[in-house]
Amino acid sequence: MDDLKKYKNVTRGVSDTYVNVHPIQRGGVLTAEARKALLEFGDGYSVCDYCFEARVDLVDNPPVHDLTSDVAEFLNMDDVRFTAGCRHAKWAAMHMVCEPGDTVVLDALAHYTSYLAAEANRLNIVEVPHNGYPMFEIDVDGYARKFEEVEQKTGKLPSMAVLTHVDYRYGNVADAEKVGRICKEYGVPFLLNTAYSSGIMPVDGKKLHVDFLCGSGHKSWAASAPIGILATTYEWTSKLFNKSTVRGDWSGRGFTKKEVALFGCSPVFGAPVATLMASFPSVVERVKHWDDEVKKAQYFVKELEKIEGFHQMGTKPKQHTLMNIESLPLHEIAEKDKRRGYFLYHELKKRKIVGLHPGMSKNFKINTYGLRQEQVEYVAKAFRDIAKENGIRVED
Ligand SMILES: Cc1ncc(COP(=O)(O)O)c(C=O)c1O
């Protein structure tokens, strides 16, 4: 506590003149409307001025109530709540649907927050494998095999299947519809983690046979953190959004409007929900242009693969803007450079490109979502120039 002054002027050291290619940040960049809403609703409980129903999702001014139904319609689901991130949405679904000791089946590329959601709910975990280097493709038919193995071993089917629609390591797009069909066939509730899909690409929950759709506002809906989305179908609404029945034994107090898994009303009361709301019209529009985003990503891969020793890991051709590039020649250079693994980070920063994980050179994750074509070209050229300057062969 000897230097409190340092808290008074916190900055990121990165201005709008930089190109940010951070793998987890592209879909969360605020729209101009959201920046305005952020100032307006930055104060703590700012969306609660006109709360008459004891729950944020029922507030009409600002129109949070309308937003929940519009987001549900957008995802082709029936009901939605806003949560404290995608992780909370997954925890909440498991908490309300599974019993401790049950088993959940999840893909082996799942984010750690899926594993921890299961752990916090005292659930056993069974993984569906992927096919390893270089594709890392989830064996979606493996869901059926794992359901049967779990049934044989425990006497009952898993109480939930979890699929990461787009994984955070390689940006592979999994065949969610196929997993959804398998789940329907076995009667296993299906949770789809759309942290890297809904909000940037079209997602139709009903078409994918999804029971619980979890999303991340700060990752893919141009919203301030933390905000997640938990969507479900009519079949599950009352169980998932079950209301409190607790009563104080002395005071007799009860909270019958409050929803248990949402910690009563919703954990997002101000900037997160206001920014998601302000960005929503742009989000509805931007998913229609997903094909253009994929084309830019494919162009970027093509340009980077002209550098000797560079290649994109994961399924090909690229179907998502998040990618993982193996770059062993850069690693050899980093070994000799006094900046070691930070060499690539610094070379890019010199060219006003930020977002690569400092210290990575063997391979790196990068996301081109929302960059203009000329920015994609600029970043690709920067990599090629760095390679050439360091004696790596680059095709023209
Ligand atoms: C696939 C995936 N799911 C979930 C999360 C966590 O999302 P949130 O921060 O909204 O809880 C992440 C974060 O990186 C992720 O990559």
Side-chain angles (χ1 to χ4, degrees):
M1 296 262 288
D2 39 326
D3 177 20
L4 294 177
K5 271 199 233 109
K6 65 178 174 237
Y7 303 122
K8 284 203 165 184
N9 187 22
V10 280
T11 61
R12 284 173 88 188
V14 174
S15 73
D16 286 349
T17 58
Y18 282 75
V19 184
N20 182 357
V21 291
H22 200 296
I24 68 173
Q25 292 178 4
R26 291 300 317 158
V29 173
L30 296 187
T31 57
E33 294 80 8
R35 279 188 203 284
K36 206 163 144 243
L38 179 62
L39 279 182
E40 185 75 17
F41 287 93
D43 292 343
Y45 289 101
S46 58
V47 298
C48 307
D49 293 345
Y50 303 100
C51 179
F52 301 117
E53 300 288 340
R55 290 217 322 261
V56 169
D57 61 292
L58 300 175
V59 166
D60 286 320
N61 180 15
V64 185
H65 195 184
D66 285 347
L67 184 67
T68 54
S69 51
D70 285 338
V71 169
E73 186 184 328
F74 175 62
L75 296 170
N76 198 10
M77 297 294 282
D78 298 321
D79 209 354
V80 156
R81 295 290 184 276
F82 299 118
T83 60
C86 183
R87 61 196 75 202
H88 171 211
K90 290 183 281 188
W91 172 86
M94 290 180 196
H95 190 72
M96 299 310 283
V97 170
C98 309
E99 295 296 329
D102 284 355
T103 303
V104 290
V105 170
L106 49 72
D107 59 286
L109 289 176
H111 193 244
Y112 75 87
T113 53
S114 298
Y115 290 81
L116 266 66
E119 184 179 17
N121 283 303
R122 301 185 203 291
L123 303 171
N124 300 309
I125 291 165
V126 168
E127 293 179 316
V128 177
H130 56 70
N131 61 5
Y133 181 90
M135 294 296 183
F136 303 95
E137 203 169 7
I138 291 293
D139 167 24
V140 285
D141 293 314
Y143 274 85
R145 270 199 313 282
K146 292 296 170 189
F147 291 171
E148 288 179 15
E149 278 173 30
V150 170
E151 190 175 26
Q152 251 175 20
K153 194 168 156 207
T154 67
K156 62 178 188 171
L157 283 162
S159 56
M160 188 173 283
V162 177
L163 175 69
T164 317
H165 195 191
V166 177
D167 76 87
Y168 71 104
R169 294 176 75 173
Y170 306 100
N172 284 347
V173 183
D175 187 346
E177 190 182 359
K178 194 160 189 194
V179 175
R181 264 191 276 120
I182 295 171
C183 289
K184 282 284 154 299
E185 197 186 309
Y186 283 83
V188 174
F190 178 32
L191 184 155
L192 185 66
N193 174 3
T194 69
Y196 270 115
S197 57
S198 66
I200 59 170
M201 62 187 263
V203 175
D204 181 326
K206 295 269 169 67
K207 198 164 149 208
L208 304 178
H209 314 290
V210 173
D211 297 294
F212 309 103
L213 191 151
C214 301
S216 177
H218 46 273
K219 199 186 289 293
S220 296
W221 294 64
S224 290
I227 184 163
I229 290 156
L230 174 56
T232 192
T233 60
Y234 287 130
E235 194 189 343
W236 290 101
T237 36
S238 54
K239 191 168 174 97
L240 186 60
F241 304 136
N242 194 14
K243 300 202 178 46
S244 171
T245 53
V246 76
R247 192 159 283 282
D249 71 336
W250 177 80
S251 68
R253 296 173 67 217
F255 313 94
T256 53
K257 284 189 177 171
K258 303 289 190 189
E259 294 174 340
V260 176
L262 277 300
F263 309 136
C265 96
S266 148
V268 284
F269 312 100
V273 71
T275 50
L276 189 134
M277 181 183 290
S279 287
F280 184 58
S282 307
V283 164
V284 171
E285 183 56 32
R286 77 188 193 178
V287 301
K288 297 178 193 155
H289 306 285
W290 176 244
D291 287 352
D292 298 335
E293 294 295 336
V294 172
K295 274 192 209 128
K296 278 185 275 173
Q298 291 179 353
Y299 165 85
F300 187 74
V301 168
K302 188 170 85 104
E303 290 303 300
L304 259 67
E305 288 192 336
K306 287 181 182 167
I307 306 172
E308 191 166 66
F310 273 48
H311 84 93
Q312 175 237 314
M313 293 191 282
T315 54
K316 288 183 157 191
K318 202 65 224 152
Q319 295 302 318
H320 196 273
T321 58
L322 169 68
M323 59 194 88
N324 192 329
I325 310 283
E326 192 173 42
S327 55
L328 294 175
L330 281 187
H331 182 62
E332 283 163 30
I333 293 161
E335 295 273 88
K336 292 179 215 132
D337 193 290
K338 63 175 185 312
R339 296 166 294 176
R340 311 293 287 180
Y342 288 79
F343 135 87
L344 179 58
Y345 175 81
H346 285 296
E347 284 301 317
L348 289 167
K349 195 150 186 203
K350 263 202 304 208
R351 294 164 170 85
K352 292 206 171 287
I353 298 166
V354 288
L356 243 69
H357 201 286
M360 295 297 279
S361 59
K362 268 188 193 160
N363 65 284
F364 55 86
K365 291 202 294 181
I366 189 162
N367 195 338
T368 53
Y369 183 74
L371 295 182
R372 295 188 306 279
Q373 176 65 23
E374 63 268 25
Q375 289 177 308
V376 174
E377 286 169 20
Y378 176 74
V379 177
K381 184 172 178 311
F383 274 98
R384 288 200 313 262
D385 290 348
I386 295 168
K388 275 187 206 160
E389 281 168 23
N390 287 280
I392 303 171
R393 212 172 61 80
V394 180
E395 244 177 69
D396 285 327

